[in-house]
Amino acid sequence: MLDEQGRIDELRDLALKGHHFAARRLTERLGRQGRVDELRELADAGHHLAAERLAELLVEQGRLEELRELAFAGYDAAVEPLAELGLTEDLYRLVAEGRDRAVRPLAGLLAGLLAGQGRVEELRILAEAGHYEAAHQLANLLAEQGQIAELRALVGVGAPYAARNLLNLLTRQGKDDEADMIDRFGLPLHDDA
């Protein structure tokens, strides 16, 4: 009602006092009007919806540096747009700074981008640092590239999905007997070849 009556100052006061409905209405209005600074004020007050709309608006307006600043200032809502824009280096920095603990899908978003770009070494670094999704993406990428020896190494350290990828790759390459032996008895601890 305040929104419809144009009583924006009162709506803002309610929103900043923690009134969820007022914050949502104000966020919608400010977003339609492209009012970034006022959305930032709401986001700073802890309104997640305002932070999401702010990130969307910055992307729409091409203000990527401000989007980056939000992400590095701790606004989780700014992280996914970085991934959607393919800003791999920014995601990599966020993971390196430990933000992946706060933004759970961050390492997964980064791993997906790195895999799509064929960046095996960066995936390996993330996988070795304990990022499950990076290990999964690395196993998939190595299988796509036909890297049997690399997949064997991943299986040896227990990387997720590496064994399945290795067996599938061996089968695709017509090495059914080897795939069957590994499936039945596991990988040998060392090669006797």
Side-chain angles (χ1 to χ4, degrees), residues 148 152 166-188:
I148 291 174
R152 282 179 181 276
L166 176 60
L167 294 175
N168 290 339
L169 178 58
L170 289 169
T171 301
R172 279 196 317 269
Q173 292 184 353
K175 299 176 181 179
D176 295 329
D177 291 341
E178 186 178 355
D180 185 51
M181 291 298 288
I182 291 172
D183 191 31
R184 291 174 67 198
F185 303 110
L187 277 179

Side-chain angles (χ1 to χ4, degrees), residues 8 11 15 49 52 57 65 71 78 80 88 99 107 109 115 123 131 134 139 145 166 174 184:
I8 302 305
L11 190 62
L49 186 62
E52 287 178 356
L57 198 55
E65 194 54 42
E80 194 163 334
T88 309
R99 287 291 313 288
L109 292 170
L123 277 172
H131 295 286
Q145 295 176 350
L166 176 60
R184 291 174 67 198

Side-chain angles (χ1 to χ4, degrees), residues 32-124:
R32 282 192 310 272
Q33 296 173 348
R35 294 164 66 177
V36 170
D37 292 336
E38 292 171 75
L39 277 171
R40 176 69 189 252
E41 180 184 8
L42 270 180
D44 286 345
H47 293 286
H48 184 71
L49 186 62
E52 287 178 356
R53 185 62 184 116
L54 174 60
E56 291 169 3
L57 198 55
L58 291 173
V59 170
E60 290 169 12
Q61 294 178 359
R63 296 165 69 171
L64 301 185
E65 194 54 42
E66 289 175 71
L67 181 67
R68 285 182 177 104
E69 289 171 12
L70 282 179
F72 286 101
Y75 286 84
D76 297 347
V79 173
E80 194 163 334
L82 290 176
E84 290 169 359
L85 292 168
L87 299 173
T88 309
E89 299 311 315
D90 291 321
L91 293 178
Y92 206 42
R93 265 186 53 211
L94 287 166
V95 169
E97 291 177 5
R99 287 291 313 288
D100 57 304
R101 290 177 190 88
V103 185
R104 183 144 172 66
L106 177 57
L109 292 170
L110 176 58
L113 283 172
L114 292 172
Q117 296 169 1
R119 294 168 65 176
V120 172
E121 288 310 310
E122 285 103 331
L123 277 172
R124 187 180 324 281

